[in-house]
């Protein structure tokens, strides 16, 4: 079973959630993980792809947008849909509901922003992970300071 970390971001909106996803992807990559950012749509995946290029002026995160089933030798992949690449061991999930392929990852990150509808969907995903037997952890990130 996977370790699932829910990061509850206080004082944030959805766009801040995506910037935090970039930060966590970079941290995971520097720790030796292969990362897959799972978006809810192609438009969201493309937006994340662009954000990974621009979210920090002095940092570069090697990444690529997944466009098919071919395997890509890139540390950070961004995609959507019903299939995930085989190589990554960590998934940052930005979609709802929980993807069917979560069992292939040893670590899953869920980001929850201030939106009440987003929080309710996150509760649904939390219940799903718990029912599947994953190890759950919660973190509150006060993004309104610092």
């Amino acid at each position: 079973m996977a370790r699932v970390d829910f990061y509850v971001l206080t004082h944030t909106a959805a766009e801040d959630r995506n910037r935090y996803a970039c930060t966590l992807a970079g941290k995971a990559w520097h720790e030796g993980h292969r990362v897959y950012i799972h978006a809810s749509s192609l438009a969201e995946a493309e937006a994340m792809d662009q954000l990974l290029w621009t979210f920090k002026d002095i940092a570069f995160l090697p990444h690529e947008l997944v466009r098919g089933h071919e395997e890509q030798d890139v540390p950070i992949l961004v995609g959507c849909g019903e299939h995930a690449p085989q190589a990554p061991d960590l998934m940052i999930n930005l979609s709802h509901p929980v993807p069917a392929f979560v069992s292939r990852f040893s670590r899953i990150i869920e980001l929850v922003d201030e939106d009440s509808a987003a929080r309710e969907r996150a509760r649904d995903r939390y219940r799903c992970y718990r029912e599947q037997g994953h190890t759950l952890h919660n973190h509150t990130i006060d993004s309104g300071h610092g």
Side-chain angles (χ1 to χ4, degrees), residues 34-39 64-92 99 101-107:
R34 306 243 342 185
V35 179
Y36 174 59
I37 300 174
H38 183 67
E64 196 165 304
L65 191 61
V66 177
R67 297 213 179 259
H69 295 294
E70 72 280 355
E71 285 302 310
Q72 295 154 301
D73 190 24
V74 180
I76 301 170
L77 295 169
V78 182
C80 63
E82 297 178 16
H83 304 285
Q86 294 290 328
D89 64 311
L90 184 147
M91 177 178 71
I92 298 173
F101 51 75
V102 295
S103 63
R104 87 167 40 150
F105 296 95
S106 60
R107 179 121 187 251

Side-chain angles (χ1 to χ4, degrees), residues 28-99:
W29 169 55
H30 286 294
E31 291 175 354
H33 291 283
R34 306 243 342 185
V35 179
Y36 174 59
I37 300 174
H38 183 67
S40 60
S41 66
L42 180 57
E44 185 180 49
E46 289 172 340
M48 284 301 301
D49 177 53
Q50 286 301 310
L51 187 56
L52 282 162
W53 286 109
T54 62
F55 89 105
K56 280 191 176 180
D57 292 338
I58 58 170
F60 170 71
L61 297 179
H63 71 281
E64 196 165 304
L65 191 61
V66 177
R67 297 213 179 259
H69 295 294
E70 72 280 355
E71 285 302 310
Q72 295 154 301
D73 190 24
V74 180
I76 301 170
L77 295 169
V78 182
C80 63
E82 297 178 16
H83 304 285
Q86 294 290 328
D89 64 311
L90 184 147
M91 177 178 71
I92 298 173
N93 185 35
L94 301 177
S95 74
H96 182 79
V98 172

Side-chain angles (χ1 to χ4, degrees), residues 5 17 30-31 45 47 60 81 91 94 109 114 124-125 134:
D5 289 277
R17 176 192 70 147
H30 286 294
E31 291 175 354
F60 170 71
M91 177 178 71
L94 301 177
I109 293 174
E114 282 282 280
D124 290 342
R125 291 192 305 277
H134 298 287

